[in-house]
Amino acid sequence: MFHVPPPRRRIAAAAMVVLAVTAAGLTTPAGATTPSSDGSTAALAAATGTATQQDVPALPAGSRLASSGVSGFLTSLSTPGGIVEYRWTRYADGVTTLLPPGPYRGGNQTDFAVRSAGSVHTLYDLGSGADPVAVDTAGLGPDAQLRQVMGATLVMSKPDGARGTEVHLVSKPADTVLDRKVTGLPANASNLLTDMSSVDTLILRYVTAGTTEQHLALVDMATGAVVEDRVLPTARVEGASSTSATHMAWTEVADPQNVTLAVARRGDTSTAPERVFLGSGSVRAELLGDDWVAYGLDETGQYHPNTLYGLTARSLTTGKTVKVLDSVQGIIPDGDGRLLVRGGTVEHGRGFYRVSVGADGTPVATLLARTNEPIVIEAKVYKPLPEVVDFGSGDAYFWWELNRGNTELTVQVTHTASGKRWTSRTGSADRPGIGGAHWTGLFDDYTAAYNGDYTWRMTVRPSDGIGPAVEQTGTLKVANKPAPHDFSDSGSPDLLVKDSSGRLIGYDARQTLYHTGKWGNPEKREQVDHGLGWNTYDRLAAPGNIGGSAHADVLGRDRSGVLWLHTGDGKSFAPRTKIGAGWQVYDRLTGGSDLNGDGRPDLVAADKAGDLYLYKGTGNAAAPFAPRTKIGWGWGIYNQLTATGNIAGAPAGDLVARDGAGVLWLYLGKGDGTFAPRIKVGAGWDRYTDIVGVGDTNRDGRPDLVVQGVMGGTYETLAHYEGTGDWRAPFGSRQRVYNPEELGSGVVTLF
């Protein structure tokens, strides 16, 4: 259950009182309560003002519990500069006082805070503003340590000179230091931990030196004597411990992954404790009144959901559990069986809550102060989200401003027509800020994204599972520019393969060459089956869009010398249309480069006599080429011609030619349908049966080459040469492509 107190008038004009340090001690500035006569601190917690505020106070984000007193509570805050700030917040009116530099140690269930300097420990009463009391513990020796503040009493420990530890209760009534040694502890008690649930009882956890025996002892503060000592055979001396008038509770840590909360009746060692397995993590636990125990795992820095991150209260009589808070980071006893908890709820965010047993016997939480650290995620668009995307111009970016950290953000984009998706890698944010993803134009299977309509969905989840996930949705359109070797309407190149059965198969070049190829991921390539019957042709060419549509086409020459056009529609090819007969005079055909600068791809053909002819593209599917023009002779020395597009930075499309010795030559187009003198690229190219000018496969703006070895279609026969844009060295080094499967049945032709 949860309760927020109704609005009330409270003092707010001096809601933050900054105190100054003087030689006399702690003093308040003008406007605060009058200091005491000795100039120390008459009113560290009594700020005044006149304004009205209708909400609980707000403390800085990151504030942590230090102590809970009678009239207020103490919090600490680690600043970026390494200084720890301390603030005292009054229950009555919510006024918060920033204390002078510490460090301080609070005394739970009292208003004292202790500031230590060597052996001198000064107690400041933050509630009444009474004169500070300095207690010098030098008499205990230089090895004495302050362990706990119990009201106006300091719990000190010191080595006993042998193998044990002594515990001393030191106070200063009537201006005289009183040192009482705790009695009833074994002489060899060591590895001491102290805790408290009330100012009347000190909790000691220790082991006996030379044994593995663990103990939980209770010390009556009035007598200084151990009144109960319980052996905990399975526990390590660490974690939480608590006591009430009727019960004791502690955590048993068998190993870091095995933490159990145990609860037993005081004075009863014959009955086995009730145990609750909590798994792993930093356990926070305290008894709540006489009939409940509250526990939870500290969610700080956690990145996996856990139902125990919230504060759970368990009835010690019925076993019933109640979820009190959605998150917990600290619990301290608050007196009268209540707790002060640093935690949060989905409804009200993180802050400081008082937990008590309500009138109906069920635990309730009341918000005392906020820290403005939200649990519920808010995501605001940081930059305009993409509406129309051309991946040739850049990636698509999705960015949001998130109001909290410890989140995981995912973006999923879905192609409306096909249902194919891209899902971003989950991005994690440790703190509030900018989160998002950018889409490089690939689906999840690494094929290039198609043109068309898309929907997107952004989901941001709390990594720790505390609070709900948030979703936003929208639409966008991908409008990539046409590419010469694009047969899938993606604006990205594809490979076409004809196998021995006459089947024509399409492969996405980015998936084939990089993600299942260059990077060695043995994932199955996506195939597009364009059907059988392509053995009708003894020559095939992919010259780009020569028919005037937005999509690339295919040319085929049959064995009688007739040239046919198959226009592309972005998914497949239309039935063939006849271009003309007499093409049997050519034994080499290639297309795809714009050789005359008119923006349309052209066709180049070399006849058996070695003469080279140019067929200028018209853009008319009914008559796609102008009459031929002879542009060269002596080309009979070449057994492979490949139009590459503008591969070397010249003003027009280019051509590469391989001679009988396996040397590859570059012919730079001059823009008038002719070429500059040839430039030697390199030798060894006779290892390839196919050399394909596939276009820009890596999105660097330069066309590339794909080659296939003489064992075409089998494992590790593909290779890739990235274009450099430099005519002196137009291609990078050979990049072997991992080929996890044959490209088709039998011997295949790549074009």
Side-chain angles (χ1 to χ4, degrees), residues 63-69 72-77 84-88 99 104-110 112-113 126 148-149 196 330-333 340 342 352:
S63 297
R64 294 292 183 264
L65 278 173
S67 67
S68 172
F73 61 96
L74 184 66
T75 57
S76 64
L77 175 69
V84 179
E85 297 177 347
Y86 293 86
R87 289 171 173 82
W88 176 258
L99 274 60
Y104 296 90
R105 189 160 187 163
N108 285 339
Q109 302 174 40
T110 67
F112 286 110
L126 304 180
Q148 195 79 33
V149 181
M196 64 164 287
I331 308 174
I332 56 177
L340 186 63
R342 206 286 193 196
F352 298 94

Side-chain angles (χ1 to χ4, degrees), residues 590-605 612-617 631 642-646 651-655 667-675:
T590 188
S593 291
D594 176 17
L595 299 178
N596 63 347
D598 63 359
R600 293 187 290 268
D602 305 314
L603 186 67
V604 173
L612 189 67
Y613 293 90
L614 169 66
Y615 287 85
K616 296 179 182 178
I631 57 174
T642 301
T644 62
N646 180 2
D654 307 320
L655 193 70
Y667 284 87
L668 294 174
K670 296 194 294 185
D672 59 0
T674 64
F675 301 101

Side-chain angles (χ1 to χ4, degrees), residues 209-224:
T211 73
T212 59
E213 196 172 70
Q214 322 281 321
H215 289 259
L216 179 62
L218 303 183
V219 177
D220 180 5
M221 290 295 292
T223 64

Side-chain angles (χ1 to χ4, degrees), residues 167 169 180-186 204 218-220 223-227:
V167 178
L169 308 178
R180 296 179 295 149
K181 180 181 176 181
V182 170
T183 61
L185 274 180
L204 297 178
L218 303 183
V219 177
D220 180 5
T223 64
V226 173
V227 294

Side-chain angles (χ1 to χ4, degrees), residues 484-540:
H485 227 266
D486 170 25
F487 304 101
S488 58
D489 194 24
S490 65
S492 183
D494 301 300
L495 296 175
L496 290 180
V497 172
K498 185 192 75 169
D499 68 10
S500 295
S501 69
R503 185 178 301 277
L504 188 65
I505 305 169
Y507 293 94
D508 182 275
R510 290 182 70 184
Q511 182 197 52
T512 299
L513 299 178
Y514 284 91
H515 297 282
T516 59
K518 187 173 181 179
W519 305 122
N521 297 325
E523 299 170 359
K524 186 177 180 62
R525 295 187 177 97
E526 182 176 88
Q527 296 184 0
V528 178
D529 189 346
H530 294 296
L532 293 166
W534 294 83
N535 273 343
T536 302
Y537 306 116
D538 62 1
R539 290 287 187 276
L540 287 167

Side-chain angles (χ1 to χ4, degrees), residues 657-669:
R658 183 185 65 192
D659 65 22
V663 177
L664 191 69
W665 301 87
L666 170 63
Y667 284 87
L668 294 174

